Amino acid sequence: MTVPRTTKSWGPLPRRRTVRPPRAVFAIRSPLPARTRFVLVAVSVLLPIAVWLVLGATEAVPARYLPSLGSVWRAGSDMAASGQLWTDTWATVQRIVYGFGLAVLVSVPLGVAMGSFAAANALLEPLSGLLRYLPAAAFTPLLLIWLGIDEQPKIALIFIGTVFFNMLMTADVVRLVPRDFVDVAYTLGARRREVLWKVILPHSLPGMLDAVRVNFAAAWNLVVVAELVNSDTGLGKRILLAQRFTQTDKIFAILVVIAVAGVLTDVLLRLARNRIGRWV
């Protein structure tokens, strides 16, 4: 009896051209040469400024909508010379430090607990997952009723808008710690507290700083919203006053200040991350 053949014979593979390795710019996860990186960073910064200069010089867009770079510089210089800009910037920075600092102090321990213990995750994740979808700005009327019109509602708004996101992102970072590291630590005789302090936290710290970087930008957005509602000082309040008198140049000057402050903070956090987690 003849047994039918069930396996299919494949023909030879077609000849293909030798694939050249892609250049560093197009290679996946390939480090860039220092010169190429510098050129790309310069283009990223200078190209928008050049477009702004051209639009301002040609008046292609009315100054009411897009003031020239020179008028924005003069508006910012006038506010800085009068001391108004520094007062408003310091007031805004203080609110962010208090609100977001409190959010970090609360969210990091809870996030570590959620990522390390299944019981903590089952207890905290449903509530935090629900509350993070509520827009923080919607709490403004309630915060004004509960806390009054002083600094407390502004700080509370920043706290509510960042604490749940930072907690969940921290928990995700902790879950990325390889299980083998934990098992090896227990095998070598480590206690639960030692596993947390000597394995989980050191491995997760760079990712935690990345989560803080992301949510710090949200804190800047929220503080401007808080200052628009009820405030005597702050960059958000200054934007509202400039809008009332159609002072677009002042609005752009304040936006530039916010952008520069945010970028500087982001760079500092990134340097701290790179220094702490050199192994990443």
Side-chain angles (χ1 to χ4, degrees), residues 145-173:
I145 295 173
W146 293 340
L147 303 176
I149 59 175
D150 292 329
E151 293 297 310
Q152 291 84 353
K154 304 176 185 63
I155 295 173
L157 182 64
I158 299 172
F159 175 83
I160 293 174
T162 55
V163 64
F164 301 110
F165 287 96
N166 203 69
M167 181 169 63
L168 292 172
M169 293 176 69
T170 301
D172 288 338
V173 169

Side-chain angles (χ1 to χ4, degrees), residues 117-134:
F117 303 100
N121 185 68
L123 178 64
L124 297 174
E125 186 174 22
L127 181 61
S128 59
L130 174 67
L131 293 177
R132 69 177 174 142
Y133 285 103
L134 298 178

Side-chain angles (χ1 to χ4, degrees), residues 159-219:
F159 175 83
I160 293 174
T162 55
V163 64
F164 301 110
F165 287 96
N166 203 69
M167 181 169 63
L168 292 172
M169 293 176 69
T170 301
D172 288 338
V173 169
V174 173
R175 293 190 189 101
L176 294 177
V177 177
R179 180 67 190 182
D180 292 343
F181 290 6
V182 178
D183 293 340
V184 168
Y186 278 130
T187 302
L188 295 176
R191 303 295 184 183
R192 181 177 57 188
R193 181 179 301 178
E194 293 173 325
V195 171
L196 285 172
W197 282 101
K198 296 183 179 181
V199 177
I200 293 179
L201 285 180
H203 191 282
S204 305
L205 191 55
M208 292 180 187
L209 289 176
D210 282 334
V212 169
R213 286 176 51 212
V214 173
N215 292 298
F216 190 80

Side-chain angles (χ1 to χ4, degrees), residues 41-270:
V41 171
V43 169
S44 175
V45 175
L46 297 179
L47 183 60
I49 296 177
V51 173
W52 190 0
L53 287 172
V54 171
L55 292 177
T58 59
E59 297 183 355
V61 180
R64 179 180 180 181
Y65 303 110
L66 183 65
S68 64
L69 187 59
S71 63
V72 172
W73 176 264
R74 288 189 295 270
S77 299
D78 293 341
M79 288 189 293
S82 65
Q84 181 184 85
L85 185 61
W86 308 116
T87 301
D88 291 332
T89 302
W90 177 241
T92 297
V93 169
Q94 280 185 305
R95 290 163 185 150
I96 291 178
V97 169
Y98 292 141
F100 187 61
L102 182 61
V104 171
L105 290 177
V106 172
S107 63
V108 169
L110 293 179
V112 172
M114 290 174 60
S116 303
F117 303 100
N121 185 68
L123 178 64
L124 297 174
E125 186 174 22
L127 181 61
S128 59
L130 174 67
L131 293 177
R132 69 177 174 142
Y133 285 103
L134 298 178
F139 286 91
T140 302
L142 291 175
L143 294 176
L144 293 174
I145 295 173
W146 293 340
L147 303 176
I149 59 175
D150 292 329
E151 293 297 310
Q152 291 84 353
K154 304 176 185 63
I155 295 173
L157 182 64
I158 299 172
F159 175 83
I160 293 174
T162 55
V163 64
F164 301 110
F165 287 96
N166 203 69
M167 181 169 63
L168 292 172
M169 293 176 69
T170 301
D172 288 338
V173 169
V174 173
R175 293 190 189 101
L176 294 177
V177 177
R179 180 67 190 182
D180 292 343
F181 290 6
V182 178
D183 293 340
V184 168
Y186 278 130
T187 302
L188 295 176
R191 303 295 184 183
R192 181 177 57 188
R193 181 179 301 178
E194 293 173 325
V195 171
L196 285 172
W197 282 101
K198 296 183 179 181
V199 177
I200 293 179
L201 285 180
H203 191 282
S204 305
L205 191 55
M208 292 180 187
L209 289 176
D210 282 334
V212 169
R213 286 176 51 212
V214 173
N215 292 298
F216 190 80
W220 272 102
N221 295 330
L222 291 167
V223 74
V224 172
V225 173
E227 292 172 347
L228 288 174
V229 176
N230 189 6
S231 181
D232 295 328
T233 58
L235 297 176
K237 180 66 174 181
R238 200 59 51 193
I239 289 176
L240 180 62
L241 293 176
Q243 180 266 333
R244 290 178 181 175
F245 298 100
T246 322
Q247 296 172 327
T248 316
D249 51 353
K250 286 188 176 182
I251 296 176
F252 271 84
I254 296 170
L255 292 177
V256 170
V257 171
I258 293 175
V260 171
V263 168
L264 290 177
T265 307
D266 186 80
V267 169
L268 291 176
L269 290 173
R270 186 179 302 177

Side-chain angles (χ1 to χ4, degrees), residues 1-16:
M1 180 177 180
T2 304
V3 179
R5 297 181 60 184
T6 57
T7 58
K8 182 179 180 180
S9 59
W10 298 95
L13 292 175
R15 292 185 177 182
R16 297 187 176 125

